Amino acid sequence: MILLTRVKVIILVIFIALVSYTAWLYLNVPISFLPDEDQGYFITIIQAPEGY
């Protein structure tokens, strides 16, 4: 019975650590992947086979 209680405590500690780590990542990772100097458009180059 004591073993089950210890396992519960260990699982709870791991869960709290993972939730804390997730919160830390949420607060420290940039919100968007676009830089501040983004102009709102992109340029592509398309090369078709010869004869078109």
Side-chain angles (χ1 to χ4, degrees):
M1 189 68 168
I2 294 174
L3 178 65
L4 292 177
T5 306
R6 286 184 186 167
V7 170
K8 284 182 185 180
V9 171
I10 292 171
I11 299 284
L12 185 61
V13 168
I14 292 172
F15 176 74
I16 291 171
L18 289 174
V19 168
S20 300
Y21 180 66
T22 302
W24 180 82
L25 280 177
Y26 179 76
L27 295 173
N28 290 314
V29 172
I31 294 174
S32 75
F33 294 108
L34 300 175
D36 292 335
E37 58 272 354
D38 181 39
Q39 300 292 319
Y41 64 88
F42 60 94
I43 299 172
T44 60
I45 299 173
I46 300 173
Q47 184 175 0
E50 289 186 31
Y52 281 95

mmCIF file of all heavy atoms in Angstrom:
data_model
loop_
_atom_site.group_PDB
_atom_site.id
_atom_site.type_symbol
_atom_site.label_atom_id
_atom_site.label_comp_id
_atom_site.label_asym_id
_atom_site.label_seq_id
_atom_site.Cartn_x
_atom_site.Cartn_y
_atom_site.Cartn_z
ATOM 1 N N MET A 1 0.816 -1.192 0.000
ATOM 2 C CA MET A 1 0.000 0.000 0.000
ATOM 3 C C MET A 1 0.863 1.260 0.000
ATOM 4 O O MET A 1 0.537 2.227 -0.655
ATOM 5 C CB MET A 1 -0.927 -0.041 1.218
ATOM 6 C CG MET A 1 -1.945 1.034 1.204
ATOM 7 S SD MET A 1 -3.108 0.726 -0.139
ATOM 8 C CE MET A 1 -4.359 1.861 0.260
ATOM 9 N N ILE A 2 1.949 1.235 0.735
ATOM 10 C CA ILE A 2 2.845 2.392 0.793
ATOM 11 C C ILE A 2 3.479 2.636 -0.578
ATOM 12 O O ILE A 2 3.663 3.780 -0.993
ATOM 13 C CB ILE A 2 3.925 2.186 1.877
ATOM 14 C CG1 ILE A 2 3.262 2.154 3.251
ATOM 15 C CG2 ILE A 2 4.964 3.291 1.812
ATOM 16 C CD1 ILE A 2 4.197 1.823 4.375
ATOM 17 N N LEU A 3 3.758 1.572 -1.315
ATOM 18 C CA LEU A 3 4.342 1.696 -2.652
ATOM 19 C C LEU A 3 3.411 2.472 -3.577
ATOM 20 O O LEU A 3 3.844 3.358 -4.315
ATOM 21 C CB LEU A 3 4.641 0.314 -3.240
ATOM 22 C CG LEU A 3 5.211 0.319 -4.661
ATOM 23 C CD1 LEU A 3 6.578 0.975 -4.677
ATOM 24 C CD2 LEU A 3 5.268 -1.083 -5.207
ATOM 25 N N LEU A 4 2.117 2.183 -3.524
ATOM 26 C CA LEU A 4 1.152 2.887 -4.361
ATOM 27 C C LEU A 4 1.084 4.372 -3.999
ATOM 28 O O LEU A 4 0.950 5.227 -4.879
ATOM 29 C CB LEU A 4 -0.229 2.251 -4.247
ATOM 30 C CG LEU A 4 -0.367 0.846 -4.847
ATOM 31 C CD1 LEU A 4 -1.760 0.308 -4.591
ATOM 32 C CD2 LEU A 4 -0.078 0.874 -6.325
ATOM 33 N N THR A 5 1.186 4.692 -2.727
ATOM 34 C CA THR A 5 1.169 6.086 -2.297
ATOM 35 C C THR A 5 2.407 6.815 -2.798
ATOM 36 O O THR A 5 2.327 7.957 -3.259
ATOM 37 C CB THR A 5 1.094 6.169 -0.761
ATOM 38 O OG1 THR A 5 -0.029 5.415 -0.319
ATOM 39 C CG2 THR A 5 0.954 7.600 -0.305
ATOM 40 N N ARG A 6 3.556 6.162 -2.747
ATOM 41 C CA ARG A 6 4.790 6.773 -3.250
ATOM 42 C C ARG A 6 4.698 6.992 -4.758
ATOM 43 O O ARG A 6 5.149 8.018 -5.256
ATOM 44 C CB ARG A 6 5.987 5.887 -2.930
ATOM 45 C CG ARG A 6 6.382 5.911 -1.483
ATOM 46 C CD ARG A 6 7.617 5.100 -1.254
ATOM 47 N NE ARG A 6 7.905 5.011 0.167
ATOM 48 C CZ ARG A 6 8.763 4.172 0.688
ATOM 49 N NH1 ARG A 6 9.414 3.329 -0.094
ATOM 50 N NH2 ARG A 6 8.971 4.148 1.988
ATOM 51 N N VAL A 7 4.131 6.044 -5.467
ATOM 52 C CA VAL A 7 4.000 6.178 -6.917
ATOM 53 C C VAL A 7 3.086 7.356 -7.240
ATOM 54 O O VAL A 7 3.361 8.140 -8.146
ATOM 55 C CB VAL A 7 3.470 4.865 -7.546
ATOM 56 C CG1 VAL A 7 3.102 5.069 -9.004
ATOM 57 C CG2 VAL A 7 4.486 3.757 -7.402
ATOM 58 N N LYS A 8 2.004 7.519 -6.499
ATOM 59 C CA LYS A 8 1.098 8.654 -6.715
ATOM 60 C C LYS A 8 1.829 9.973 -6.523
ATOM 61 O O LYS A 8 1.662 10.907 -7.311
ATOM 62 C CB LYS A 8 -0.094 8.595 -5.764
ATOM 63 C CG LYS A 8 -1.139 7.589 -6.117
ATOM 64 C CD LYS A 8 -2.281 7.669 -5.108
ATOM 65 C CE LYS A 8 -3.314 6.609 -5.338
ATOM 66 N NZ LYS A 8 -4.415 6.698 -4.367
ATOM 67 N N VAL A 9 2.638 10.061 -5.496
ATOM 68 C CA VAL A 9 3.375 11.292 -5.212
ATOM 69 C C VAL A 9 4.384 11.563 -6.325
ATOM 70 O O VAL A 9 4.506 12.698 -6.796
ATOM 71 C CB VAL A 9 4.065 11.211 -3.833
ATOM 72 C CG1 VAL A 9 5.009 12.381 -3.632
ATOM 73 C CG2 VAL A 9 3.033 11.148 -2.731
ATOM 74 N N ILE A 10 5.077 10.549 -6.782
ATOM 75 C CA ILE A 10 6.067 10.716 -7.854
ATOM 76 C C ILE A 10 5.380 11.166 -9.144
ATOM 77 O O ILE A 10 5.843 12.089 -9.819
ATOM 78 C CB ILE A 10 6.855 9.405 -8.077
ATOM 79 C CG1 ILE A 10 7.745 9.126 -6.862
ATOM 80 C CG2 ILE A 10 7.694 9.481 -9.344
ATOM 81 C CD1 ILE A 10 8.395 7.767 -6.862
ATOM 82 N N ILE A 11 4.261 10.545 -9.487
ATOM 83 C CA ILE A 11 3.508 10.921 -10.689
ATOM 84 C C ILE A 11 3.017 12.363 -10.569
ATOM 85 O O ILE A 11 3.086 13.130 -11.524
ATOM 86 C CB ILE A 11 2.317 9.963 -10.911
ATOM 87 C CG1 ILE A 11 2.798 8.540 -11.106
ATOM 88 C CG2 ILE A 11 1.459 10.427 -12.060
ATOM 89 C CD1 ILE A 11 3.389 8.240 -12.439
ATOM 90 N N LEU A 12 2.536 12.755 -9.406
ATOM 91 C CA LEU A 12 2.057 14.118 -9.193
ATOM 92 C C LEU A 12 3.193 15.126 -9.343
ATOM 93 O O LEU A 12 3.023 16.176 -9.970
ATOM 94 C CB LEU A 12 1.406 14.244 -7.813
ATOM 95 C CG LEU A 12 0.765 15.583 -7.499
ATOM 96 C CD1 LEU A 12 -0.363 15.889 -8.478
ATOM 97 C CD2 LEU A 12 0.242 15.585 -6.079
ATOM 98 N N VAL A 13 4.352 14.820 -8.804
ATOM 99 C CA VAL A 13 5.509 15.715 -8.924
ATOM 100 C C VAL A 13 5.928 15.839 -10.389
ATOM 101 O O VAL A 13 6.202 16.949 -10.874
ATOM 102 C CB VAL A 13 6.676 15.209 -8.045
ATOM 103 C CG1 VAL A 13 7.972 15.934 -8.380
ATOM 104 C CG2 VAL A 13 6.332 15.359 -6.580
ATOM 105 N N ILE A 14 5.961 14.737 -11.113
ATOM 106 C CA ILE A 14 6.308 14.778 -12.539
ATOM 107 C C ILE A 14 5.277 15.603 -13.311
ATOM 108 O O ILE A 14 5.640 16.416 -14.172
ATOM 109 C CB ILE A 14 6.427 13.350 -13.107
ATOM 110 C CG1 ILE A 14 7.648 12.645 -12.512
ATOM 111 C CG2 ILE A 14 6.506 13.364 -14.626
ATOM 112 C CD1 ILE A 14 7.740 11.175 -12.851
ATOM 113 N N PHE A 15 4.005 15.423 -13.018
ATOM 114 C CA PHE A 15 2.949 16.175 -13.693
ATOM 115 C C PHE A 15 3.096 17.675 -13.447
ATOM 116 O O PHE A 15 3.012 18.482 -14.372
ATOM 117 C CB PHE A 15 1.575 15.683 -13.234
ATOM 118 C CG PHE A 15 0.442 16.463 -13.817
ATOM 119 C CD1 PHE A 15 0.081 16.303 -15.149
ATOM 120 C CD2 PHE A 15 -0.266 17.360 -13.031
ATOM 121 C CE1 PHE A 15 -0.959 17.027 -15.687
ATOM 122 C CE2 PHE A 15 -1.309 18.088 -13.563
ATOM 123 C CZ PHE A 15 -1.661 17.916 -14.895
ATOM 124 N N ILE A 16 3.339 18.055 -12.194
ATOM 125 C CA ILE A 16 3.501 19.472 -11.860
ATOM 126 C C ILE A 16 4.735 20.047 -12.567
ATOM 127 O O ILE A 16 4.702 21.171 -13.076
ATOM 128 C CB ILE A 16 3.567 19.668 -10.336
ATOM 129 C CG1 ILE A 16 2.201 19.368 -9.728
ATOM 130 C CG2 ILE A 16 4.032 21.065 -9.966
ATOM 131 C CD1 ILE A 16 2.186 19.324 -8.218
ATOM 132 N N ALA A 17 5.809 19.264 -12.620
ATOM 133 C CA ALA A 17 7.016 19.720 -13.317
ATOM 134 C C ALA A 17 6.743 19.927 -14.802
ATOM 135 O O ALA A 17 7.185 20.926 -15.393
ATOM 136 C CB ALA A 17 8.144 18.717 -13.107
ATOM 137 N N LEU A 18 6.014 19.020 -15.433
ATOM 138 C CA LEU A 18 5.704 19.153 -16.857
ATOM 139 C C LEU A 18 4.778 20.337 -17.129
ATOM 140 O O LEU A 18 4.965 21.060 -18.111
ATOM 141 C CB LEU A 18 5.090 17.858 -17.388
ATOM 142 C CG LEU A 18 6.043 16.677 -17.523
ATOM 143 C CD1 LEU A 18 5.283 15.421 -17.924
ATOM 144 C CD2 LEU A 18 7.133 16.979 -18.524
ATOM 145 N N VAL A 19 3.801 20.559 -16.271
ATOM 146 C CA VAL A 19 2.914 21.713 -16.444
ATOM 147 C C VAL A 19 3.706 23.013 -16.259
ATOM 148 O O VAL A 19 3.519 23.973 -17.013
ATOM 149 C CB VAL A 19 1.718 21.638 -15.469
ATOM 150 C CG1 VAL A 19 0.953 22.941 -15.434
ATOM 151 C CG2 VAL A 19 0.803 20.496 -15.861
ATOM 152 N N SER A 20 4.599 23.038 -15.301
ATOM 153 C CA SER A 20 5.433 24.218 -15.083
ATOM 154 C C SER A 20 6.339 24.478 -16.283
ATOM 155 O O SER A 20 6.492 25.620 -16.731
ATOM 156 C CB SER A 20 6.290 24.051 -13.830
ATOM 157 O OG SER A 20 5.470 23.873 -12.709
ATOM 158 N N TYR A 21 6.921 23.438 -16.826
ATOM 159 C CA TYR A 21 7.784 23.570 -18.001
ATOM 160 C C TYR A 21 6.983 24.071 -19.200
ATOM 161 O O TYR A 21 7.438 24.927 -19.953
ATOM 162 C CB TYR A 21 8.456 22.233 -18.312
ATOM 163 C CG TYR A 21 9.372 22.269 -19.508
ATOM 164 C CD1 TYR A 21 10.538 23.028 -19.468
ATOM 165 C CD2 TYR A 21 9.081 21.568 -20.662
ATOM 166 C CE1 TYR A 21 11.388 23.080 -20.555
ATOM 167 C CE2 TYR A 21 9.917 21.613 -21.752
ATOM 168 C CZ TYR A 21 11.079 22.366 -21.704
ATOM 169 O OH TYR A 21 11.905 22.416 -22.782
ATOM 170 N N THR A 22 5.768 23.568 -19.372
ATOM 171 C CA THR A 22 4.906 24.024 -20.461
ATOM 172 C C THR A 22 4.581 25.504 -20.303
ATOM 173 O O THR A 22 4.610 26.260 -21.280
ATOM 174 C CB THR A 22 3.611 23.194 -20.495
ATOM 175 O OG1 THR A 22 3.947 21.819 -20.655
ATOM 176 C CG2 THR A 22 2.706 23.619 -21.631
ATOM 177 N N ALA A 23 4.270 25.939 -19.097
ATOM 178 C CA ALA A 23 3.980 27.353 -18.848
ATOM 179 C C ALA A 23 5.210 28.208 -19.128
ATOM 180 O O ALA A 23 5.108 29.279 -19.733
ATOM 181 C CB ALA A 23 3.508 27.545 -17.409
ATOM 182 N N TRP A 24 6.380 27.753 -18.730
ATOM 183 C CA TRP A 24 7.618 28.483 -18.986
ATOM 184 C C TRP A 24 7.861 28.605 -20.487
ATOM 185 O O TRP A 24 8.225 29.686 -20.978
ATOM 186 C CB TRP A 24 8.792 27.779 -18.309
ATOM 187 C CG TRP A 24 10.088 28.484 -18.536
ATOM 188 C CD1 TRP A 24 10.567 29.561 -17.859
ATOM 189 C CD2 TRP A 24 11.053 28.163 -19.529
ATOM 190 N NE1 TRP A 24 11.772 29.922 -18.372
ATOM 191 C CE2 TRP A 24 12.114 29.090 -19.399
ATOM 192 C CE3 TRP A 24 11.147 27.185 -20.510
ATOM 193 C CZ2 TRP A 24 13.233 29.062 -20.212
ATOM 194 C CZ3 TRP A 24 12.253 27.163 -21.328
ATOM 195 C CH2 TRP A 24 13.281 28.088 -21.172
ATOM 196 N N LEU A 25 7.665 27.523 -21.238
ATOM 197 C CA LEU A 25 7.828 27.579 -22.697
ATOM 198 C C LEU A 25 6.834 28.551 -23.311
ATOM 199 O O LEU A 25 7.182 29.322 -24.207
ATOM 200 C CB LEU A 25 7.626 26.190 -23.313
ATOM 201 C CG LEU A 25 8.793 25.230 -23.244
ATOM 202 C CD1 LEU A 25 8.396 23.887 -23.838
ATOM 203 C CD2 LEU A 25 9.993 25.787 -23.972
ATOM 204 N N TYR A 26 5.599 28.511 -22.869
ATOM 205 C CA TYR A 26 4.563 29.396 -23.399
ATOM 206 C C TYR A 26 4.934 30.866 -23.210
ATOM 207 O O TYR A 26 4.692 31.693 -24.071
ATOM 208 C CB TYR A 26 3.231 29.094 -22.722
ATOM 209 C CG TYR A 26 2.107 29.982 -23.186
ATOM 210 C CD1 TYR A 26 1.505 29.789 -24.423
ATOM 211 C CD2 TYR A 26 1.648 31.026 -22.386
ATOM 212 C CE1 TYR A 26 0.481 30.617 -24.853
ATOM 213 C CE2 TYR A 26 0.629 31.849 -22.806
ATOM 214 C CZ TYR A 26 0.042 31.643 -24.045
ATOM 215 O OH TYR A 26 -0.955 32.467 -24.465
ATOM 216 N N LEU A 27 5.542 31.185 -22.091
ATOM 217 C CA LEU A 27 5.889 32.573 -21.810
ATOM 218 C C LEU A 27 7.187 33.014 -22.480
ATOM 219 O O LEU A 27 7.402 34.206 -22.691
ATOM 220 C CB LEU A 27 6.000 32.785 -20.294
ATOM 221 C CG LEU A 27 4.691 32.616 -19.529
ATOM 222 C CD1 LEU A 27 4.954 32.671 -18.026
ATOM 223 C CD2 LEU A 27 3.686 33.681 -19.942
ATOM 224 N N ASN A 28 8.070 32.084 -22.842
ATOM 225 C CA ASN A 28 9.385 32.455 -23.357
ATOM 226 C C ASN A 28 9.577 32.240 -24.850
ATOM 227 O O ASN A 28 10.525 32.773 -25.417
ATOM 228 C CB ASN A 28 10.473 31.696 -22.597
ATOM 229 C CG ASN A 28 10.590 32.209 -21.181
ATOM 230 O OD1 ASN A 28 10.625 33.403 -20.955
ATOM 231 N ND2 ASN A 28 10.625 31.310 -20.229
ATOM 232 N N VAL A 29 8.725 31.475 -25.483
ATOM 233 C CA VAL A 29 8.856 31.252 -26.929
ATOM 234 C C VAL A 29 8.142 32.395 -27.644
ATOM 235 O O VAL A 29 7.056 32.807 -27.233
ATOM 236 C CB VAL A 29 8.241 29.884 -27.309
ATOM 237 C CG1 VAL A 29 8.190 29.697 -28.814
ATOM 238 C CG2 VAL A 29 9.040 28.763 -26.675
ATOM 239 N N PRO A 30 8.757 32.908 -28.724
ATOM 240 C CA PRO A 30 8.111 34.007 -29.456
ATOM 241 C C PRO A 30 6.703 33.629 -29.915
ATOM 242 O O PRO A 30 6.420 32.480 -30.239
ATOM 243 C CB PRO A 30 9.025 34.227 -30.660
ATOM 244 C CG PRO A 30 10.333 33.652 -30.263
ATOM 245 C CD PRO A 30 10.040 32.553 -29.297
ATOM 246 N N ILE A 31 5.837 34.648 -29.974
ATOM 247 C CA ILE A 31 4.438 34.410 -30.311
ATOM 248 C C ILE A 31 4.266 34.046 -31.778
ATOM 249 O O ILE A 31 3.487 33.183 -32.127
ATOM 250 C CB ILE A 31 3.598 35.657 -29.964
ATOM 251 C CG1 ILE A 31 3.607 35.851 -28.459
ATOM 252 C CG2 ILE A 31 2.174 35.517 -30.456
ATOM 253 C CD1 ILE A 31 2.951 37.114 -27.995
ATOM 254 N N SER A 32 5.002 34.712 -32.653
ATOM 255 C CA SER A 32 4.851 34.422 -34.074
ATOM 256 C C SER A 32 6.207 34.089 -34.672
ATOM 257 O O SER A 32 7.248 34.425 -34.137
ATOM 258 C CB SER A 32 4.225 35.600 -34.807
ATOM 259 O OG SER A 32 5.176 36.626 -34.972
ATOM 260 N N PHE A 33 6.157 33.455 -35.817
ATOM 261 C CA PHE A 33 7.385 33.096 -36.511
ATOM 262 C C PHE A 33 7.761 34.158 -37.547
ATOM 263 O O PHE A 33 8.741 34.022 -38.236
ATOM 264 C CB PHE A 33 7.221 31.742 -37.192
ATOM 265 C CG PHE A 33 7.056 30.618 -36.213
ATOM 266 C CD1 PHE A 33 5.836 30.004 -36.042
ATOM 267 C CD2 PHE A 33 8.114 30.184 -35.443
ATOM 268 C CE1 PHE A 33 5.680 28.976 -35.140
ATOM 269 C CE2 PHE A 33 7.969 29.164 -34.535
ATOM 270 C CZ PHE A 33 6.747 28.557 -34.382
ATOM 271 N N LEU A 34 6.961 35.210 -37.655
ATOM 272 C CA LEU A 34 7.234 36.257 -38.624
ATOM 273 C C LEU A 34 8.052 37.359 -37.973
ATOM 274 O O LEU A 34 7.738 37.820 -36.880
ATOM 275 C CB LEU A 34 5.923 36.842 -39.163
ATOM 276 C CG LEU A 34 5.005 35.855 -39.871
ATOM 277 C CD1 LEU A 34 3.707 36.533 -40.247
ATOM 278 C CD2 LEU A 34 5.681 35.289 -41.094
ATOM 279 N N PRO A 35 9.093 37.813 -38.668
ATOM 280 C CA PRO A 35 9.885 38.909 -38.098
ATOM 281 C C PRO A 35 9.109 40.222 -38.127
ATOM 282 O O PRO A 35 8.128 40.376 -38.849
ATOM 283 C CB PRO A 35 11.105 38.964 -39.012
ATOM 284 C CG PRO A 35 10.683 38.323 -40.282
ATOM 285 C CD PRO A 35 9.632 37.314 -39.918
ATOM 286 N N ASP A 36 9.572 41.202 -37.362
ATOM 287 C CA ASP A 36 8.903 42.502 -37.291
ATOM 288 C C ASP A 36 8.904 43.231 -38.628
ATOM 289 O O ASP A 36 8.002 44.004 -38.922
ATOM 290 C CB ASP A 36 9.568 43.383 -36.231
ATOM 291 C CG ASP A 36 9.331 42.843 -34.841
ATOM 292 O OD1 ASP A 36 8.329 42.143 -34.651
ATOM 293 O OD2 ASP A 36 10.157 43.131 -33.962
ATOM 294 N N GLU A 37 9.927 42.987 -39.450
ATOM 295 C CA GLU A 37 10.023 43.701 -40.715
ATOM 296 C C GLU A 37 9.253 43.017 -41.850
ATOM 297 O O GLU A 37 9.443 43.325 -43.015
ATOM 298 C CB GLU A 37 11.486 43.900 -41.122
ATOM 299 C CG GLU A 37 12.294 42.629 -41.267
ATOM 300 C CD GLU A 37 12.946 42.179 -39.968
ATOM 301 O OE1 GLU A 37 12.887 42.877 -38.963
ATOM 302 O OE2 GLU A 37 13.512 41.088 -39.976
ATOM 303 N N ASP A 38 8.358 42.108 -41.529
ATOM 304 C CA ASP A 38 7.549 41.420 -42.528
ATOM 305 C C ASP A 38 6.684 42.425 -43.290
ATOM 306 O O ASP A 38 5.998 43.246 -42.692
ATOM 307 C CB ASP A 38 6.658 40.372 -41.851
ATOM 308 C CG ASP A 38 5.808 39.609 -42.848
ATOM 309 O OD1 ASP A 38 6.314 39.290 -43.936
ATOM 310 O OD2 ASP A 38 4.640 39.345 -42.524
ATOM 311 N N GLN A 39 6.727 42.348 -44.624
ATOM 312 C CA GLN A 39 5.979 43.270 -45.471
ATOM 313 C C GLN A 39 4.594 42.751 -45.834
ATOM 314 O O GLN A 39 3.793 43.466 -46.413
ATOM 315 C CB GLN A 39 6.771 43.539 -46.763
ATOM 316 C CG GLN A 39 8.130 44.154 -46.530
ATOM 317 C CD GLN A 39 8.024 45.571 -46.007
ATOM 318 O OE1 GLN A 39 7.188 46.340 -46.466
ATOM 319 N NE2 GLN A 39 8.852 45.923 -45.037
ATOM 320 N N GLY A 40 4.311 41.499 -45.571
ATOM 321 C CA GLY A 40 2.989 40.954 -45.856
ATOM 322 C C GLY A 40 2.877 40.318 -47.231
ATOM 323 O O GLY A 40 1.769 40.054 -47.700
ATOM 324 N N TYR A 41 3.983 40.084 -47.925
ATOM 325 C CA TYR A 41 3.935 39.415 -49.226
ATOM 326 C C TYR A 41 5.154 38.516 -49.370
ATOM 327 O O TYR A 41 6.129 38.627 -48.617
ATOM 328 C CB TYR A 41 3.862 40.430 -50.369
ATOM 329 C CG TYR A 41 5.081 41.319 -50.492
ATOM 330 C CD1 TYR A 41 6.180 40.936 -51.256
ATOM 331 C CD2 TYR A 41 5.135 42.549 -49.857
ATOM 332 C CE1 TYR A 41 7.295 41.738 -51.357
ATOM 333 C CE2 TYR A 41 6.237 43.361 -49.950
ATOM 334 C CZ TYR A 41 7.319 42.956 -50.715
ATOM 335 O OH TYR A 41 8.416 43.748 -50.811
ATOM 336 N N PHE A 42 5.112 37.631 -50.353
ATOM 337 C CA PHE A 42 6.263 36.786 -50.629
ATOM 338 C C PHE A 42 6.438 36.656 -52.134
ATOM 339 O O PHE A 42 5.506 36.861 -52.905
ATOM 340 C CB PHE A 42 6.160 35.411 -49.966
ATOM 341 C CG PHE A 42 4.963 34.610 -50.398
ATOM 342 C CD1 PHE A 42 5.063 33.701 -51.443
ATOM 343 C CD2 PHE A 42 3.750 34.743 -49.751
ATOM 344 C CE1 PHE A 42 3.965 32.954 -51.842
ATOM 345 C CE2 PHE A 42 2.659 33.998 -50.155
ATOM 346 C CZ PHE A 42 2.758 33.111 -51.190
ATOM 347 N N ILE A 43 7.645 36.344 -52.555
ATOM 348 C CA ILE A 43 7.995 36.245 -53.964
ATOM 349 C C ILE A 43 8.358 34.795 -54.261
ATOM 350 O O ILE A 43 9.098 34.165 -53.505
ATOM 351 C CB ILE A 43 9.185 37.164 -54.291
ATOM 352 C CG1 ILE A 43 8.819 38.619 -53.994
ATOM 353 C CG2 ILE A 43 9.626 36.988 -55.728
ATOM 354 C CD1 ILE A 43 9.986 39.580 -54.102
ATOM 355 N N THR A 44 7.839 34.275 -55.378
ATOM 356 C CA THR A 44 8.190 32.923 -55.794
ATOM 357 C C THR A 44 8.765 32.958 -57.206
ATOM 358 O O THR A 44 8.479 33.868 -57.989
ATOM 359 C CB THR A 44 6.968 31.992 -55.787
ATOM 360 O OG1 THR A 44 6.002 32.510 -56.691
ATOM 361 C CG2 THR A 44 6.379 31.877 -54.397
ATOM 362 N N ILE A 45 9.559 31.981 -57.529
ATOM 363 C CA ILE A 45 10.109 31.833 -58.869
ATOM 364 C C ILE A 45 9.645 30.490 -59.396
ATOM 365 O O ILE A 45 9.854 29.450 -58.767
ATOM 366 C CB ILE A 45 11.654 31.895 -58.843
ATOM 367 C CG1 ILE A 45 12.113 33.250 -58.310
ATOM 368 C CG2 ILE A 45 12.228 31.620 -60.227
ATOM 369 C CD1 ILE A 45 13.600 33.349 -58.087
ATOM 370 N N ILE A 46 8.998 30.524 -60.566
ATOM 371 C CA ILE A 46 8.515 29.298 -61.186
ATOM 372 C C ILE A 46 9.243 29.122 -62.504
ATOM 373 O O ILE A 46 9.285 30.038 -63.331
ATOM 374 C CB ILE A 46 6.984 29.357 -61.430
ATOM 375 C CG1 ILE A 46 6.269 29.539 -60.100
ATOM 376 C CG2 ILE A 46 6.510 28.110 -62.165
ATOM 377 C CD1 ILE A 46 4.779 29.777 -60.244
ATOM 378 N N GLN A 47 9.813 27.949 -62.696
ATOM 379 C CA GLN A 47 10.536 27.665 -63.923
ATOM 380 C C GLN A 47 9.857 26.490 -64.612
ATOM 381 O O GLN A 47 9.864 25.376 -64.084
ATOM 382 C CB GLN A 47 12.009 27.347 -63.638
ATOM 383 C CG GLN A 47 12.826 27.141 -64.869
ATOM 384 C CD GLN A 47 14.300 26.955 -64.537
ATOM 385 O OE1 GLN A 47 14.676 26.979 -63.366
ATOM 386 N NE2 GLN A 47 15.102 26.771 -65.564
ATOM 387 N N ALA A 48 9.277 26.753 -65.767
ATOM 388 C CA ALA A 48 8.584 25.710 -66.523
ATOM 389 C C ALA A 48 9.580 25.041 -67.468
ATOM 390 O O ALA A 48 10.617 25.598 -67.817
ATOM 391 C CB ALA A 48 7.433 26.319 -67.298
ATOM 392 N N PRO A 49 9.246 23.833 -67.923
ATOM 393 C CA PRO A 49 10.106 23.178 -68.913
ATOM 394 C C PRO A 49 10.158 23.989 -70.213
ATOM 395 O O PRO A 49 9.253 24.769 -70.511
ATOM 396 C CB PRO A 49 9.434 21.832 -69.153
ATOM 397 C CG PRO A 49 8.453 21.671 -68.061
ATOM 398 C CD PRO A 49 8.140 23.000 -67.525
ATOM 399 N N GLU A 50 11.207 23.786 -70.996
ATOM 400 C CA GLU A 50 11.336 24.517 -72.261
ATOM 401 C C GLU A 50 10.163 24.184 -73.182
ATOM 402 O O GLU A 50 9.690 23.055 -73.215
ATOM 403 C CB GLU A 50 12.639 24.134 -72.942
ATOM 404 C CG GLU A 50 13.847 24.688 -72.243
ATOM 405 C CD GLU A 50 15.123 24.420 -73.015
ATOM 406 O OE1 GLU A 50 15.083 24.358 -74.242
ATOM 407 O OE2 GLU A 50 16.167 24.271 -72.349
ATOM 408 N N GLY A 51 9.733 25.173 -73.951
ATOM 409 C CA GLY A 51 8.636 24.973 -74.899
ATOM 410 C C GLY A 51 7.317 25.476 -74.375
ATOM 411 O O GLY A 51 6.317 25.465 -75.090
ATOM 412 N N TYR A 52 7.252 25.910 -73.166
ATOM 413 C CA TYR A 52 5.987 26.429 -72.630
ATOM 414 C C TYR A 52 6.011 27.926 -72.605
ATOM 415 O O TYR A 52 6.891 28.605 -72.383
ATOM 416 C CB TYR A 52 5.719 25.886 -71.214
ATOM 417 C CG TYR A 52 5.186 24.497 -71.203
ATOM 418 C CD1 TYR A 52 6.017 23.403 -71.039
ATOM 419 C CD2 TYR A 52 3.829 24.268 -71.380
ATOM 420 C CE1 TYR A 52 5.533 22.138 -71.025
ATOM 421 C CE2 TYR A 52 3.321 22.984 -71.354
ATOM 422 C CZ TYR A 52 4.183 21.911 -71.184
ATOM 423 O OH TYR A 52 3.673 20.652 -71.184
#
